[in-house]
Amino acid sequence: MKLKNITLIVCTALSVFACTNLDEELFDRVKDENFGKTPKEIEALAGGAYSSLRGFKDGISNSFPASEYVFFLNEVVSDEATIPTRGTDWYDGGQYQNAQRHTWTAQNGMILSAWRYCYAGIAKINSIIYQINKSGLSETDKKPIFAELKSVRAYYYYMLLDLFGNVPIVTNFEDLGLPANSSRQQVYNFVESELLDALPYLPSNIAYSKFTKNVAYSLLARLYLNSEAFVSKPRWQDCIDMCQNISGYTLEPDYFANFATQNEKSTETIFAIPYDSDAGTVGNYMSSMSYHYLQKFAVSPTGNYQWSANGMCAQPGVYSSFDDLDRRKGALLEGDQINLATGSVIIMDSGQPLTYTEDISNFEDAKQNEGVRLNKYQINAGDKWERDNDFVLIRYAEILMMQAECYVRLNAPDLARPFLDQINKRAGIETPATIDLAYINKELLHEFIFEGRRRTDNIRFGIFFQPWWEKGTTAAYRAIFPIPTSVLSTNTNLKQNPGYTN
């Protein structure tokens, strides 16, 4: 079968997922059936599953997990981040305002971007499995390869479980039918069984940016941590058990080493998406989405830094929630921004100093300097638009925090202390005498600030449904997003999630 025919099958099967671009890079990597006969060719095919994690951009969506709009979606509906409208900038049809206020609809572009990100990755993996099945490999040789591929696919389905709940489960590349929704419980069961089935065949060693036993155990721990929120069944001890299977990682002494330009050297990273601008990777420009337009002069005396968009920032109250001794507070940028050429505060076009403030006076018409900025990933003079920092998905600190939280939920806070002490020693603060869920929630905010996971924590702790800045009470059905309108119009077998209209 030639490339053009395989591409046709992919887009026919994906018609439910609004696949319209036949030249999109995610769908052009499957070769004809003469390809995949050697170990090197098989490895190249399997590598496509990992490269799909970087996402894509086309005329329909910006589906980048490290920036627009997949990352934005998880952040701006949480109590962590916001994208205020600044004059004529960042209105974008009201999608950020609706996300902030939890009034999103099925037409929101960020929601469509997240849906397409997941299903494009799934389609890519299904096509690779199809091709490897045609390769002539023995069933024994296929097992470890399929274990990796199905684990990456399970990661996408975990995201769908979290974001949308009731989604189609599609595993057969040759099935051209229009799939119906599976229940959230069925998707949950699928993710769990795929990972458990893969475990015996996954490598035990540490392999950077590859699915190993450690990565599978980590994802299962996440699944069990959120089990009560997902399917109304708490599984705290199961989460602990999965965490205790993980070995070979240590906390980096320097918190910010995890987000350095060369962060692939971190001893803490369990799973990450690699980026290398020289190799042509795209979609990793998150820092430039946060800084002010003139931030470049605080990075380089000649302004040798990429343009910034002056968008995403922390919600009021987040920055001041950190103890001043907490080293992690440096993940946010506040105060005067100094022009390295003059030694004076940068002056904005308005004539006012570029001084980042925690308060945002008017969400619908914020000043250019309002909002504390993301400052977590290392930036350097001369950086290209596409950064080289790998995007961290799972790190060892999460494994420690999951165990701490589960012990508190099991009414054993003393057993949580050793895990929290490791985290807090690095942060330069003390673990309090009383460890409760309120403290765990605050610690999760501080440890994982701007890592794209706060929405899930908010839901698990129940605070997602409570009022906060620029948001009233949220209805329970909004714990999951609606299936995008354009997807429903393409596939009449799908039903909208309860509470939403099409």
Side-chain angles (χ1 to χ4, degrees):
M1 181 178 291
K2 299 300 183 183
L3 172 59
K4 63 180 181 180
N5 293 328
I6 291 178
T7 304
L8 177 62
I9 290 176
V10 171
C11 277
T12 302
L14 277 182
S15 61
V16 61
F17 312 127
C19 171
T20 62
N21 183 356
L22 300 188
D23 298 320
E24 186 176 300
E25 67 174 0
L26 286 174
F27 304 138
D28 67 1
R29 296 292 187 262
V30 179
K31 309 300 181 182
D32 65 34
E33 59 189 11
N34 292 319
F35 188 84
K37 301 298 186 183
T38 69
K40 186 174 182 179
E41 289 175 346
I42 293 293
E43 183 179 358
L45 276 173
Y50 293 103
S51 63
S52 74
L53 291 169
R54 297 190 189 100
F56 64 96
K57 174 183 178 180
D58 61 13
I60 301 172
S61 66
N62 284 12
S63 295
F64 293 131
S67 193
E68 302 171 289
Y69 292 108
V70 182
F71 182 81
F72 284 4
L73 179 63
N74 277 308
E75 286 291 326
V76 301
V77 304
S78 79
D79 64 352
E80 178 171 271
T82 187
I83 302 179
T85 304
R86 305 179 192 275
T88 58
D89 291 346
W90 291 102
Y91 177 67
D92 291 8
Q95 67 176 349
Y96 308 117
Q97 293 183 14
N98 292 335
Q100 174 68 44
R101 291 167 172 160
H102 288 198
T103 58
W104 59 75
T105 68
Q107 290 82 39
N108 190 291
M110 291 189 291
I111 295 173
L112 177 62
S113 293
W115 177 280
R116 296 186 78 233
Y117 170 71
C118 293
Y119 274 111
I122 289 166
K124 177 72 172 179
I125 293 167
N126 287 345
S127 71
I128 294 169
I129 291 173
Y130 168 85
Q131 185 68 11
I132 291 176
N133 263 327
K134 299 288 187 179
S135 69
L137 277 184
S138 70
E139 293 303 311
T140 299
D141 289 338
K142 288 177 185 176
K143 285 180 179 179
I145 299 169
F146 285 168
E148 278 193 69
L149 293 171
K150 292 180 179 181
S151 294
V152 180
R153 188 174 64 188
Y155 172 78
Y156 282 119
Y157 272 109
Y158 173 86
M159 289 187 65
L160 290 166
L161 169 72
D162 183 10
L163 294 169
F164 297 99
N166 311 293
V167 301
I169 297 174
V170 182
T171 60
N172 185 350
F173 179 64
E174 295 181 283
D175 184 356
L176 303 185
L178 296 179
N181 309 71
S182 294
S183 70
R184 201 176 197 190
Q185 181 70 64
Q186 289 171 322
V187 181
Y188 177 98
N189 294 345
F190 176 76
V191 172
E192 181 182 30
S193 64
E194 288 286 278
L195 292 170
L196 290 174
D197 290 347
L199 268 169
Y201 305 102
L202 291 170
S204 300
N205 60 305
I206 294 175
Y208 188 76
S209 76
K210 296 287 188 180
F211 241 93
T212 63
K213 282 183 168 62
N214 280 321
V215 180
Y217 285 132
S218 300
L219 191 53
L220 281 165
R222 272 190 188 178
L223 183 71
Y224 298 148
L225 181 70
N226 292 289
S227 181
E228 185 173 43
F230 289 165
V231 293
S232 303
K233 180 182 179 182
R235 298 184 67 175
W236 313 120
Q237 186 60 53
D238 288 337
C239 175
I240 293 170
D241 293 344
M242 291 299 107
C243 289
Q244 292 180 349
N245 287 323
I246 296 163
S247 63
Y249 300 93
T250 58
L251 292 183
E252 280 285 340
D254 178 6
Y255 174 76
F256 291 98
N258 294 299
F259 314 102
T261 303
Q262 303 298 327
N263 59 340
E264 69 273 10
K265 300 175 184 179
S266 170
T267 61
E268 186 172 336
T269 299
I270 296 175
F271 194 50
I273 304 174
Y275 286 90
D276 185 338
S277 60
D278 289 338
T281 58
V282 297
N284 187 12
Y285 48 87
M286 178 168 48
S287 292
S288 282
M289 294 291 97
S290 184
Y291 296 129
H292 185 271
Y293 318 112
L294 298 178
Q295 188 71 33
K296 60 185 179 180
F297 293 109
V299 180
S300 162
T302 62
N304 183 20
Y305 183 74
Q306 289 296 321
W307 175 80
S308 298
N310 201 33
M312 185 171 57
C313 59
Q315 287 191 28
V318 170
Y319 182 74
S320 56
S321 73
F322 283 82
D323 189 293
D324 286 340
L325 297 177
D326 193 331
R327 299 185 184 105
R328 298 169 300 187
K329 197 171 187 177
L332 298 172
L333 189 61
E334 185 262 358
D336 293 341
Q337 301 307 298
I338 304 302
N339 187 318
L340 296 182
T342 66
S344 302
V345 179
I346 295 170
I347 302 300
M348 300 183 293
D349 292 343
S350 65
Q352 298 299 309
L354 178 53
T355 303
Y356 294 133
T357 66
E358 183 168 18
D359 290 337
I360 299 172
S361 57
N362 185 343
F363 174 57
E364 295 185 5
D365 190 18
K367 296 177 181 178
Q368 288 190 1
N369 64 305
E370 290 182 328
V372 176
R373 307 309 164 97
L374 166 64
N375 196 45
K376 194 164 192 173
Y377 279 87
Q378 180 183 348
I379 62 172
N380 314 282
D383 274 348
K384 299 177 182 178
W385 175 254
E386 296 291 345
R387 305 306 199 277
D388 293 326
N389 319 71
D390 294 348
F391 186 60
V392 180
L393 297 178
I394 306 173
R395 54 189 179 90
Y396 186 58
E398 180 182 353
I399 307 308
L400 299 177
M401 285 301 304
M402 285 196 286
Q403 291 174 89
E405 179 181 336
C406 288
Y407 278 125
V408 173
R409 291 186 182 276
L410 290 170
N411 297 314
D414 288 344
L415 296 178
R417 186 172 298 277
F419 302 105
L420 295 168
D421 284 345
Q422 293 180 63
I423 298 286
N424 289 330
K425 180 180 179 181
R426 178 173 70 179
I429 57 176
E430 297 291 330
T431 306
T434 300
I435 300 172
D436 55 17
L437 286 178
Y439 172 73
I440 295 292
N441 175 53
K442 185 176 179 180
E443 185 64 13
L444 288 169
L445 171 65
H446 294 165
E447 179 65 23
F448 301 106
I449 186 78
F450 279 109
E451 292 188 38
R453 48 170 291 148
R454 185 62 180 165
R455 168 190 162 273
T456 309
D457 292 343
N458 283 167
I459 293 170
R460 189 172 67 255
F461 280 84
I463 59 177
F464 188 79
F465 311 101
Q466 301 170 5
W468 62 57
W469 182 77
E470 285 291 331
K471 182 186 87 68
T473 301
T474 297
Y477 73 86
R478 288 185 179 269
I480 54 177
F481 291 111
I483 297 174
T485 297
S486 59
V487 174
L488 291 169
S489 65
T490 307
N491 180 3
T492 56
N493 288 338
L494 289 177
K495 294 181 179 179
Q496 182 58 278
N497 280 329
Y500 292 106
T501 59
N502 297 347

